[in-house]
Amino acid sequence: MKIICIGRNYVNHAKEMNSPVPKQPLIFMKPDTATLVNRKPFFYPEFTENLHHEAEVVLKVCKNGKHIEQQFAHKYYDQLTLGLDLTARDVQARCKEKGHPWEIAKAFDGSAVLGEFIAAADFKADNIGFHLTKNGNTVQQGNTKDLIFSFDYLISYVSKYFKLHIGDLIFTGTPEGVGPLQIGDELEGFIGERKLLECRIK
Ligand code: MG
């Protein structure tokens, strides 16, 4: 199983990071050891002093495919959830500055927090509202209508480079409002009004 992540897929997030809006999807990966499921706590790692939350809609691939055409892409995922692309922002800044790969900032153990998966058929792909709360306060709010690259475009684009396998996950990008986490924070992630994700930072 692989975890494919899309960077800067919402204009306002690219702006808050002072990053250019990409012309093609920006792709990176996390290993399967990054997954954190079943409401398990996340242990704040010793290598960062600026751990950030990035709330994202996550798609679960249900069909193997390569060179998938956009018009058929919707058949390649059948479940979705809210996930967190946890990021060591200070480590990432150092990687970016040196032009180095950023896996140590984004693909470490537990950095792909996953909520409970639900049927994708219950949603219109281009109008999914979601939000993340920290200690009861909303910190990120987004809607997939604001995606730069749609789910279908992403699946088509990604599958030109990487064969998709059943069970692969696609983190589709975070909206604005990313921010720091502290030990003791309680995170809850929602799609619509439905709470799918809970994670405590320990
Ligand atoms: Mg992200």
Side-chain angles (χ1 to χ4, degrees):
M1 185 271 273
K2 56 188 174 295
I3 305 170
I4 298 156
C5 304
I6 310 302
R8 294 176 211 158
N9 203 14
Y10 289 85
V11 171
N12 289 339
H13 171 61
K15 282 188 186 158
E16 76 180 344
M17 298 300 295
N18 292 316
S19 297
V21 174
K23 295 204 166 56
Q24 288 292 0
L26 196 160
I27 298 173
F28 61 96
M29 303 249 205
K30 299 189 191 231
D32 55 2
T33 45
T35 52
L36 187 70
V37 296
N38 300 330
R39 300 177 156 82
K40 287 209 181 94
F42 176 83
F43 290 90
Y44 201 111
E46 89 292 342
F47 54 76
T48 178
E49 288 172 356
N50 195 17
L51 179 74
H52 272 206
H53 55 78
E54 295 191 1
E56 317 198 357
V57 175
V58 181
L59 308 179
K60 189 183 267 189
V61 173
C62 64
K63 197 171 158 174
N64 297 345
K66 173 102 183 143
H67 294 300
I68 299 162
E69 285 179 49
Q70 242 190 101
Q71 57 177 315
F72 303 121
H74 64 277
K75 300 178 183 213
Y76 285 78
Y77 66 94
D78 62 352
Q79 293 180 70
L80 53 79
T81 191
L82 193 86
L84 299 175
D85 166 21
L86 293 179
T87 302
R89 197 67 75 197
D90 46 354
V91 179
Q92 186 193 28
R94 291 198 289 273
C95 292
K96 281 161 102 174
E97 198 180 284
K98 294 178 187 153
H100 288 175
W102 64 25
E103 276 84 350
I104 58 168
K106 274 192 167 281
F108 48 84
D109 294 348
S111 62
V113 185
L114 294 167
E116 174 200 337
F117 279 91
I118 53 178
D122 294 348
F123 299 90
K124 227 174 147 275
D126 59 358
N127 189 16
I128 302 173
F130 58 98
H131 70 282
L132 177 73
T133 66
K134 183 173 87 173
N135 307 324
N137 303 311
T138 299
V139 285
Q140 284 192 273
Q141 199 159 15
N143 189 300
T144 56
K145 69 178 162 47
D146 299 319
L147 283 169
I148 299 171
F149 303 108
S150 70
F151 294 167
D152 290 350
Y153 187 89
L154 291 175
I155 285 169
S156 172
Y157 184 83
V158 165
S159 72
K160 285 187 210 175
Y161 299 91
F162 309 105
K163 183 177 180 183
L164 294 182
H165 276 164
I166 295 172
D168 288 348
L169 302 175
I170 304 175
F171 276 67
T172 58
T174 194
E176 71 273 25
V178 302
L181 293 169
Q182 312 292 340
I183 290 171
D185 284 344
E186 303 264 9
L187 299 168
E188 295 183 322
F190 300 76
I191 289 189
E193 291 310 310
R194 197 155 162 198
K195 181 163 75 175
L196 300 177
L197 178 146
E198 280 175 37
C199 184
R200 188 190 175 99
I201 310 298
K202 287 185 109 167

